Amino acid sequence: MKVRTLGATDLKLGVLGMGCWQYGGGAYWGDQSQKDVDEVVHKALDIGINYFDTAEIYNDGESEISLGIALKGRRHEAVIGSKINTANARPDLLRKGCEASLKRLQTDYIDLYMLHWPISPLAIRHFTTNPGLIASPPTVEEVFCTLRELQKEGKIRHIGISNHGVAQMEEVRATGVKAAANELPYNLISRAIEETILPYCQKHQMGVIGYMPLQQGLLTGKYADLADVKPMQARSRHFHHSRGQGTRHGEVGAEAEINNVLKEVQTIARELDLHMIVLCLAWAITNSAIATTIVGSRNVEQLELNAQAASVELSRDVMERLNRVSEPVLRKLGPSPDYYENRNHNRIR
């Protein structure tokens, strides 16, 4: 497994990381057995996947509990990233949240502790109905001052952010905190970060963790038609707003353009004798500006398939072909990497 350094830190991450959202089971992804989690985590460590990404909000903390169980005896081999819910970012709640995550993970420290979404009324409103909190959220300074205190106490090694745009990264920098990483969506049909966010992160030596590399199953080859995508997975701006369950964006989507991408990707995968999953993951990994790309694996078989991407070298011609066919989707969806809110009123700026 190739490794990359996360920004200006001393953290060396495998280019493929482990997304742990499904751990512990839940309404969104369904049941997930602890036995499979244990096997996947140990196999991942054995093959050089060392970054495990979770959050307090994933399955109401059950993801952290499940990961903590699986890492017993091998915690020292892993780099754990977890995230604080933006609605819990007031100093007192943030401290309690961090300590609760430590307890669930059964660890004395979290390697990378991230603010899940930026501090803004829209981001907070997504996670709470508390009118007082929405009207008077904590300041960016208050949040990152608390994170600095937790870092000084040794409870977290590095401070990170997630889903932050350039203006919001500037607000963080103004507090004096140098964020170690920004976790952002990145895949063939979600390329918005390429325009300004990736260059900014590179300029300021901020590591980038790519998530959703298979667009929640859309880039796996399991759908013969976009109409087969479940409403819960069709909530993003990739789809017409009438298609998703609980859709908020109100946009028309890019379904025709995405269908063209899927057909071309399947053709290229056949030409290269690769699974579509491997090809799409290899495309994301090829971008050296992405320190690690996190992908979920429900069992060892899925893990072994995903891991193949780490050893695939895509030619320049193949990369150009994939970039070219996905360019219309990028143009249609625009430069906002918040794929669940309207591009003109979203959480990332």
Side-chain angles (χ1 to χ4, degrees):
M1 180 69 59
K2 297 175 185 175
V3 298
R4 289 177 182 151
T5 302
L6 184 67
T9 75
D10 60 350
L11 297 178
K12 307 290 185 182
L13 309 183
V15 293
L16 198 66
M18 183 65 63
C20 304
W21 187 357
Q22 74 273 21
Y23 289 10
Y28 196 82
W29 293 115
D31 293 337
Q32 173 69 64
S33 79
Q34 185 62 44
K35 177 178 179 294
D36 283 340
V37 172
D38 293 345
E39 291 176 354
V40 165
V41 167
H42 285 271
K43 180 67 174 181
L45 289 169
D46 290 343
I47 63 177
I49 294 175
N50 65 338
Y51 178 67
F52 297 85
D53 188 271
T54 185
E56 67 168 13
I57 202 170
Y58 292 167
N59 304 323
D60 296 322
E62 292 296 326
S63 169
E64 291 179 322
I65 291 172
S66 179
L67 177 61
I69 292 170
L71 284 174
K72 280 184 178 179
R74 301 189 70 174
R75 168 65 182 96
H76 62 287
E77 299 177 52
V79 176
I80 296 177
S82 193
K83 299 177 282 290
I84 185 75
N85 181 351
T86 304
N88 293 336
R90 281 182 172 170
D92 58 333
L93 294 178
L94 197 163
R95 177 171 288 279
K96 290 178 182 177
C98 180
E99 291 171 351
S101 287
L102 289 168
K103 184 176 180 180
R104 287 191 291 266
L105 288 162
Q106 301 185 52
T107 185
D108 296 327
Y109 65 95
I110 297 171
D111 298 281
L112 178 66
Y113 197 50
M114 296 166 276
L115 178 64
H116 208 149
W117 285 90
I119 300 298
S120 73
L122 182 58
I124 291 174
R125 190 180 297 116
H126 182 62
F127 297 104
T128 183
T129 57
N130 183 328
L133 182 58
I134 294 170
S136 182
T139 66
V140 176
E141 177 65 41
E142 287 175 324
V143 172
F144 285 88
C145 178
T146 306
L147 288 170
R148 276 197 303 263
E149 290 173 359
L150 291 169
Q151 186 180 39
K152 289 177 182 177
E153 294 166 14
K155 294 177 179 178
I156 60 178
R157 291 183 61 198
H158 299 282
I159 297 168
I161 53 180
S162 179
N163 300 303
H164 280 54
V166 170
Q168 293 155 336
M169 288 188 281
E170 280 291 295
E171 291 174 352
V172 173
R173 277 173 48 82
T175 69
V177 169
K178 183 177 176 61
N182 192 357
E183 186 171 309
L184 296 150
Y186 189 60
N187 61 60
L188 259 176
I189 55 175
S190 301
R191 295 173 53 192
I193 66 173
E194 291 178 353
E195 184 175 340
T196 59
I197 294 177
L198 269 185
Y200 180 95
C201 291
Q202 288 181 294
K203 177 182 178 180
H204 295 284
Q205 294 184 295
M206 187 184 303
V208 175
I209 298 169
Y211 74 83
M212 207 162 61
L214 299 175
Q215 192 57 46
Q216 298 197 347
L218 194 57
L219 295 173
T220 64
K222 70 178 181 179
Y223 297 112
D225 189 281
L226 290 186
D228 297 332
V229 178
K230 294 179 181 179
M232 183 60 76
Q233 273 76 51
R235 296 177 299 124
S236 68
R237 289 193 293 115
H238 301 78
F239 300 89
H240 191 279
H241 62 82
S242 64
R243 294 263 282 107
Q245 180 179 327
T247 301
R248 305 186 299 273
H249 58 76
E251 297 192 17
V252 299
E255 296 188 36
E257 293 83 357
I258 290 170
N259 270 325
N260 288 335
V261 173
L262 297 181
K263 290 175 184 176
E264 182 67 5
V265 172
Q266 288 168 342
T267 297
I268 295 172
R270 285 193 295 268
E271 291 173 1
L272 299 177
D273 194 25
L274 294 174
H275 195 289
M276 185 172 169
I277 287 174
V278 175
L279 177 60
C280 291
L281 289 176
W283 176 88
I285 289 171
T286 298
N287 190 335
S288 60
I290 308 295
T292 188
T293 295
I294 58 173
V295 62
S297 301
R298 285 190 168 275
N299 51 53
V300 170
E301 290 73 27
Q302 286 186 5
L303 171 63
E304 290 175 339
L305 177 62
N306 293 338
Q308 291 177 28
S311 58
V312 171
E313 298 285 346
L314 297 180
S315 70
R316 180 178 296 180
D317 287 346
V318 168
M319 287 296 294
E320 289 177 353
R321 190 172 165 188
L322 290 169
N323 289 340
R324 185 168 57 251
V325 72
S326 60
E327 184 74 20
V329 180
L330 175 58
R331 290 199 302 269
K332 187 77 174 284
L333 297 183
S336 170
D338 187 348
Y339 291 102
Y340 295 92
E341 302 286 353
N342 187 281
R343 73 186 70 197
N344 297 316
H345 184 58
N346 57 62
R347 296 166 289 178
I348 302 176
R349 56 180 175 81

